[in-house]
mmCIF file of all heavy atoms in Angstrom:
data_model
loop_
_atom_site.group_PDB
_atom_site.id
_atom_site.type_symbol
_atom_site.label_atom_id
_atom_site.label_comp_id
_atom_site.label_asym_id
_atom_site.label_seq_id
_atom_site.Cartn_x
_atom_site.Cartn_y
_atom_site.Cartn_z
ATOM 1 N N ARG B 172 -10.817 38.333 -22.601
ATOM 2 C CA ARG B 172 -9.424 37.922 -22.413
ATOM 3 C C ARG B 172 -8.866 37.384 -23.729
ATOM 4 O O ARG B 172 -9.564 36.689 -24.470
ATOM 5 C CB ARG B 172 -9.309 36.809 -21.375
ATOM 6 C CG ARG B 172 -9.803 37.138 -19.988
ATOM 7 C CD ARG B 172 -9.627 35.909 -19.101
ATOM 8 N NE ARG B 172 -10.205 36.097 -17.777
ATOM 9 C CZ ARG B 172 -10.276 35.136 -16.883
ATOM 10 N NH1 ARG B 172 -9.790 33.935 -17.148
ATOM 11 N NH2 ARG B 172 -10.813 35.364 -15.698
ATOM 12 N N VAL B 173 -7.615 37.672 -23.978
ATOM 13 C CA VAL B 173 -6.936 37.093 -25.136
ATOM 14 C C VAL B 173 -6.460 35.693 -24.769
ATOM 15 O O VAL B 173 -5.761 35.512 -23.774
ATOM 16 C CB VAL B 173 -5.741 37.950 -25.583
ATOM 17 C CG1 VAL B 173 -5.032 37.294 -26.762
ATOM 18 C CG2 VAL B 173 -6.201 39.357 -25.943
ATOM 19 N N LEU B 174 -6.864 34.707 -25.553
ATOM 20 C CA LEU B 174 -6.425 33.325 -25.353
ATOM 21 C C LEU B 174 -5.545 32.928 -26.526
ATOM 22 O O LEU B 174 -5.938 33.058 -27.686
ATOM 23 C CB LEU B 174 -7.625 32.380 -25.261
ATOM 24 C CG LEU B 174 -8.579 32.602 -24.080
ATOM 25 C CD1 LEU B 174 -9.751 31.636 -24.171
ATOM 26 C CD2 LEU B 174 -7.854 32.420 -22.756
ATOM 27 N N SER B 175 -4.349 32.451 -26.230
ATOM 28 C CA SER B 175 -3.443 32.027 -27.289
ATOM 29 C C SER B 175 -3.955 30.739 -27.928
ATOM 30 O O SER B 175 -4.807 30.038 -27.376
ATOM 31 C CB SER B 175 -2.042 31.799 -26.728
ATOM 32 O OG SER B 175 -2.044 30.662 -25.863
ATOM 33 N N ARG B 176 -3.424 30.422 -29.081
ATOM 34 C CA ARG B 176 -3.793 29.168 -29.741
ATOM 35 C C ARG B 176 -3.423 27.980 -28.860
ATOM 36 O O ARG B 176 -4.153 26.994 -28.798
ATOM 37 C CB ARG B 176 -3.110 29.076 -31.111
ATOM 38 C CG ARG B 176 -3.670 30.053 -32.132
ATOM 39 C CD ARG B 176 -2.809 30.100 -33.399
ATOM 40 N NE ARG B 176 -3.410 30.947 -34.425
ATOM 41 C CZ ARG B 176 -3.303 32.271 -34.446
ATOM 42 N NH1 ARG B 176 -2.620 32.897 -33.492
ATOM 43 N NH2 ARG B 176 -3.870 32.969 -35.406
ATOM 44 N N GLU B 177 -2.276 28.084 -28.188
ATOM 45 C CA GLU B 177 -1.852 26.994 -27.298
ATOM 46 C C GLU B 177 -2.853 26.796 -26.156
ATOM 47 O O GLU B 177 -3.189 25.665 -25.799
ATOM 48 C CB GLU B 177 -0.462 27.283 -26.739
ATOM 49 C CG GLU B 177 0.666 27.215 -27.758
ATOM 50 C CD GLU B 177 0.844 28.514 -28.531
ATOM 51 O OE1 GLU B 177 0.034 29.448 -28.340
ATOM 52 O OE2 GLU B 177 1.781 28.589 -29.350
ATOM 53 N N GLN B 178 -3.322 27.910 -25.571
ATOM 54 C CA GLN B 178 -4.295 27.819 -24.479
ATOM 55 C C GLN B 178 -5.603 27.194 -24.961
ATOM 56 O O GLN B 178 -6.174 26.337 -24.291
ATOM 57 C CB GLN B 178 -4.560 29.207 -23.898
ATOM 58 C CG GLN B 178 -3.426 29.753 -23.060
ATOM 59 C CD GLN B 178 -3.691 31.172 -22.611
ATOM 60 O OE1 GLN B 178 -4.048 32.043 -23.399
ATOM 61 N NE2 GLN B 178 -3.501 31.428 -21.318
ATOM 62 N N LEU B 179 -6.071 27.636 -26.122
ATOM 63 C CA LEU B 179 -7.320 27.084 -26.660
ATOM 64 C C LEU B 179 -7.162 25.605 -26.994
ATOM 65 O O LEU B 179 -8.062 24.795 -26.735
ATOM 66 C CB LEU B 179 -7.745 27.867 -27.903
ATOM 67 C CG LEU B 179 -8.270 29.283 -27.630
ATOM 68 C CD1 LEU B 179 -8.398 30.059 -28.933
ATOM 69 C CD2 LEU B 179 -9.619 29.226 -26.924
ATOM 70 N N LEU B 180 -6.015 25.253 -27.548
ATOM 71 C CA LEU B 180 -5.776 23.854 -27.902
ATOM 72 C C LEU B 180 -5.810 22.979 -26.649
ATOM 73 O O LEU B 180 -6.422 21.903 -26.637
ATOM 74 C CB LEU B 180 -4.427 23.724 -28.603
ATOM 75 C CG LEU B 180 -4.221 22.490 -29.492
ATOM 76 C CD1 LEU B 180 -5.204 22.496 -30.641
ATOM 77 C CD2 LEU B 180 -2.795 22.466 -30.037
ATOM 78 N N THR B 181 -5.179 23.446 -25.583
ATOM 79 C CA THR B 181 -5.145 22.681 -24.341
ATOM 80 C C THR B 181 -6.519 22.581 -23.699
ATOM 81 O O THR B 181 -6.946 21.511 -23.261
ATOM 82 C CB THR B 181 -4.161 23.320 -23.343
ATOM 83 O OG1 THR B 181 -2.845 23.304 -23.910
ATOM 84 C CG2 THR B 181 -4.152 22.564 -22.023
ATOM 85 N N ARG B 182 -7.239 23.704 -23.632
ATOM 86 C CA ARG B 182 -8.514 23.735 -22.922
ATOM 87 C C ARG B 182 -9.644 23.058 -23.684
ATOM 88 O O ARG B 182 -10.563 22.502 -23.076
ATOM 89 C CB ARG B 182 -8.898 25.190 -22.628
ATOM 90 C CG ARG B 182 -7.916 25.904 -21.726
ATOM 91 C CD ARG B 182 -8.380 27.309 -21.402
ATOM 92 N NE ARG B 182 -7.362 28.025 -20.642
ATOM 93 C CZ ARG B 182 -7.579 29.182 -20.042
ATOM 94 N NH1 ARG B 182 -8.754 29.761 -20.111
ATOM 95 N NH2 ARG B 182 -6.602 29.776 -19.374
ATOM 96 N N VAL B 183 -9.603 23.114 -25.003
ATOM 97 C CA VAL B 183 -10.709 22.568 -25.811
ATOM 98 C C VAL B 183 -10.392 21.183 -26.353
ATOM 99 O O VAL B 183 -11.224 20.279 -26.297
ATOM 100 C CB VAL B 183 -11.059 23.530 -26.965
ATOM 101 C CG1 VAL B 183 -12.169 22.946 -27.838
ATOM 102 C CG2 VAL B 183 -11.487 24.893 -26.410
ATOM 103 N N TRP B 184 -9.172 20.995 -26.864
ATOM 104 C CA TRP B 184 -8.812 19.707 -27.451
ATOM 105 C C TRP B 184 -8.218 18.756 -26.414
ATOM 106 O O TRP B 184 -8.302 17.552 -26.563
ATOM 107 C CB TRP B 184 -7.810 19.904 -28.591
ATOM 108 C CG TRP B 184 -8.421 20.296 -29.904
ATOM 109 C CD1 TRP B 184 -8.644 19.480 -30.974
ATOM 110 C CD2 TRP B 184 -8.868 21.603 -30.299
ATOM 111 N NE1 TRP B 184 -9.200 20.199 -32.012
ATOM 112 C CE2 TRP B 184 -9.356 21.508 -31.625
ATOM 113 C CE3 TRP B 184 -8.905 22.843 -29.669
ATOM 114 C CZ2 TRP B 184 -9.865 22.601 -32.327
ATOM 115 C CZ3 TRP B 184 -9.412 23.929 -30.352
ATOM 116 C CH2 TRP B 184 -9.892 23.813 -31.653
ATOM 117 N N GLY B 185 -7.582 19.315 -25.385
ATOM 118 C CA GLY B 185 -6.977 18.478 -24.350
ATOM 119 C C GLY B 185 -5.467 18.401 -24.470
ATOM 120 O O GLY B 185 -4.885 18.658 -25.522
ATOM 121 N N TRP B 186 -4.838 18.025 -23.335
ATOM 122 C CA TRP B 186 -3.379 17.959 -23.276
ATOM 123 C C TRP B 186 -2.797 16.926 -24.250
ATOM 124 O O TRP B 186 -1.679 17.073 -24.737
ATOM 125 C CB TRP B 186 -2.935 17.587 -21.865
ATOM 126 C CG TRP B 186 -3.147 18.666 -20.866
ATOM 127 C CD1 TRP B 186 -4.185 18.789 -19.994
ATOM 128 C CD2 TRP B 186 -2.314 19.806 -20.623
ATOM 129 N NE1 TRP B 186 -4.065 19.927 -19.226
ATOM 130 C CE2 TRP B 186 -2.902 20.567 -19.588
ATOM 131 C CE3 TRP B 186 -1.110 20.241 -21.179
ATOM 132 C CZ2 TRP B 186 -2.354 21.742 -19.111
ATOM 133 C CZ3 TRP B 186 -0.545 21.421 -20.694
ATOM 134 C CH2 TRP B 186 -1.166 22.151 -19.677
ATOM 135 N N ASP B 187 -3.548 15.869 -24.513
ATOM 136 C CA ASP B 187 -2.991 14.774 -25.308
ATOM 137 C C ASP B 187 -3.230 14.934 -26.803
ATOM 138 O O ASP B 187 -2.948 14.023 -27.583
ATOM 139 C CB ASP B 187 -3.577 13.441 -24.835
ATOM 140 C CG ASP B 187 -5.105 13.415 -24.880
ATOM 141 O OD1 ASP B 187 -5.716 14.494 -25.101
ATOM 142 O OD2 ASP B 187 -5.685 12.332 -24.677
ATOM 143 N N PHE B 188 -3.764 16.078 -27.245
ATOM 144 C CA PHE B 188 -4.002 16.288 -28.673
ATOM 145 C C PHE B 188 -2.670 16.377 -29.404
ATOM 146 O O PHE B 188 -1.756 17.094 -28.998
ATOM 147 C CB PHE B 188 -4.798 17.584 -28.889
ATOM 148 C CG PHE B 188 -5.100 17.871 -30.337
ATOM 149 C CD1 PHE B 188 -6.030 17.117 -31.030
ATOM 150 C CD2 PHE B 188 -4.440 18.902 -30.997
ATOM 151 C CE1 PHE B 188 -6.309 17.393 -32.357
ATOM 152 C CE2 PHE B 188 -4.723 19.186 -32.324
ATOM 153 C CZ PHE B 188 -5.659 18.428 -33.009
ATOM 154 N N GLU B 189 -2.547 15.634 -30.496
ATOM 155 C CA GLU B 189 -1.280 15.563 -31.212
ATOM 156 C C GLU B 189 -1.306 16.316 -32.535
ATOM 157 O O GLU B 189 -0.366 16.224 -33.321
ATOM 158 C CB GLU B 189 -0.911 14.095 -31.452
ATOM 159 C CG GLU B 189 -0.687 13.309 -30.164
ATOM 160 C CD GLU B 189 -0.301 11.870 -30.411
ATOM 161 O OE1 GLU B 189 -0.309 11.457 -31.597
ATOM 162 O OE2 GLU B 189 0.017 11.159 -29.440
ATOM 163 N N GLY B 190 -2.363 17.064 -32.786
ATOM 164 C CA GLY B 190 -2.458 17.818 -34.024
ATOM 165 C C GLY B 190 -1.691 19.126 -33.970
ATOM 166 O O GLY B 190 -0.874 19.362 -33.076
ATOM 167 N N GLU B 191 -1.958 20.011 -34.939
ATOM 168 C CA GLU B 191 -1.236 21.265 -35.056
ATOM 169 C C GLU B 191 -2.090 22.438 -34.585
ATOM 170 O O GLU B 191 -3.315 22.335 -34.465
ATOM 171 C CB GLU B 191 -0.811 21.484 -36.513
ATOM 172 C CG GLU B 191 0.108 20.394 -37.051
ATOM 173 C CD GLU B 191 0.507 20.644 -38.502
ATOM 174 O OE1 GLU B 191 -0.018 21.627 -39.087
ATOM 175 O OE2 GLU B 191 1.330 19.896 -39.030
ATOM 176 N N LEU B 192 -1.415 23.561 -34.329
ATOM 177 C CA LEU B 192 -2.115 24.771 -33.904
ATOM 178 C C LEU B 192 -3.109 25.246 -34.947
ATOM 179 O O LEU B 192 -4.089 25.924 -34.617
ATOM 180 C CB LEU B 192 -1.107 25.891 -33.623
ATOM 181 C CG LEU B 192 -0.224 25.739 -32.381
ATOM 182 C CD1 LEU B 192 0.751 26.901 -32.297
ATOM 183 C CD2 LEU B 192 -1.071 25.662 -31.129
ATOM 184 N N ARG B 193 -2.901 24.875 -36.190
ATOM 185 C CA ARG B 193 -3.806 25.292 -37.264
ATOM 186 C C ARG B 193 -5.225 24.778 -37.015
ATOM 187 O O ARG B 193 -6.194 25.363 -37.494
ATOM 188 C CB ARG B 193 -3.284 24.790 -38.611
ATOM 189 C CG ARG B 193 -4.202 25.134 -39.769
ATOM 190 C CD ARG B 193 -3.567 24.895 -41.124
ATOM 191 N NE ARG B 193 -4.566 24.952 -42.182
ATOM 192 C CZ ARG B 193 -5.138 26.066 -42.608
ATOM 193 N NH1 ARG B 193 -4.815 27.220 -42.060
ATOM 194 N NH2 ARG B 193 -6.031 26.032 -43.589
ATOM 195 N N ALA B 194 -5.356 23.716 -36.232
ATOM 196 C CA ALA B 194 -6.692 23.197 -35.917
ATOM 197 C C ALA B 194 -7.537 24.262 -35.234
ATOM 198 O O ALA B 194 -8.760 24.335 -35.432
ATOM 199 C CB ALA B 194 -6.578 21.965 -35.024
ATOM 200 N N VAL B 195 -6.895 25.111 -34.429
ATOM 201 C CA VAL B 195 -7.619 26.188 -33.751
ATOM 202 C C VAL B 195 -8.142 27.189 -34.770
ATOM 203 O O VAL B 195 -9.313 27.593 -34.730
ATOM 204 C CB VAL B 195 -6.719 26.897 -32.726
ATOM 205 C CG1 VAL B 195 -7.453 28.083 -32.098
ATOM 206 C CG2 VAL B 195 -6.255 25.918 -31.650
ATOM 207 N N ASP B 196 -7.294 27.597 -35.706
ATOM 208 C CA ASP B 196 -7.697 28.575 -36.720
ATOM 209 C C ASP B 196 -8.867 28.051 -37.558
ATOM 210 O O ASP B 196 -9.803 28.794 -37.879
ATOM 211 C CB ASP B 196 -6.519 28.909 -37.632
ATOM 212 C CG ASP B 196 -5.351 29.520 -36.877
ATOM 213 O OD1 ASP B 196 -5.607 30.256 -35.907
ATOM 214 O OD2 ASP B 196 -4.197 29.263 -37.254
ATOM 215 N N VAL B 197 -8.808 26.786 -37.902
ATOM 216 C CA VAL B 197 -9.876 26.186 -38.709
ATOM 217 C C VAL B 197 -11.197 26.211 -37.945
ATOM 218 O O VAL B 197 -12.245 26.593 -38.481
ATOM 219 C CB VAL B 197 -9.513 24.743 -39.114
ATOM 220 C CG1 VAL B 197 -10.710 24.053 -39.771
ATOM 221 C CG2 VAL B 197 -8.324 24.741 -40.060
ATOM 222 N N GLN B 198 -11.165 25.822 -36.669
ATOM 223 C CA GLN B 198 -12.404 25.789 -35.887
ATOM 224 C C GLN B 198 -12.922 27.199 -35.577
ATOM 225 O O GLN B 198 -14.133 27.407 -35.506
ATOM 226 C CB GLN B 198 -12.189 25.008 -34.593
ATOM 227 C CG GLN B 198 -12.089 23.501 -34.790
ATOM 228 C CD GLN B 198 -13.361 22.916 -35.396
ATOM 229 O OE1 GLN B 198 -14.457 23.418 -35.202
ATOM 230 N NE2 GLN B 198 -13.212 21.840 -36.146
ATOM 231 N N ILE B 199 -12.031 28.157 -35.401
ATOM 232 C CA ILE B 199 -12.461 29.547 -35.218
ATOM 233 C C ILE B 199 -13.202 30.026 -36.466
ATOM 234 O O ILE B 199 -14.261 30.673 -36.378
ATOM 235 C CB ILE B 199 -11.262 30.471 -34.923
ATOM 236 C CG1 ILE B 199 -10.732 30.231 -33.504
ATOM 237 C CG2 ILE B 199 -11.652 31.929 -35.120
ATOM 238 C CD1 ILE B 199 -11.607 30.769 -32.397
ATOM 239 N N LYS B 200 -12.667 29.706 -37.630
ATOM 240 C CA LYS B 200 -13.314 30.088 -38.887
ATOM 241 C C LYS B 200 -14.698 29.456 -38.990
ATOM 242 O O LYS B 200 -15.680 30.120 -39.352
ATOM 243 C CB LYS B 200 -12.444 29.654 -40.069
ATOM 244 C CG LYS B 200 -13.047 29.984 -41.425
ATOM 245 C CD LYS B 200 -12.134 29.518 -42.559
ATOM 246 C CE LYS B 200 -12.770 29.826 -43.910
ATOM 247 N NZ LYS B 200 -11.893 29.366 -45.040
#
Side-chain angles (χ1 to χ4, degrees):
R172 300 179 186 174
V173 178
L174 297 177
S175 68
R176 290 170 175 81
E177 291 84 355
Q178 287 175 311
L179 288 169
L180 202 63
T181 299
R182 298 183 186 191
V183 178
W184 278 258
W186 289 98
D187 56 350
F188 181 72
E189 297 181 355
E191 300 180 355
L192 289 177
R193 178 168 167 73
V195 176
D196 299 326
V197 172
Q198 286 299 330
I199 288 287
K200 179 180 179 180

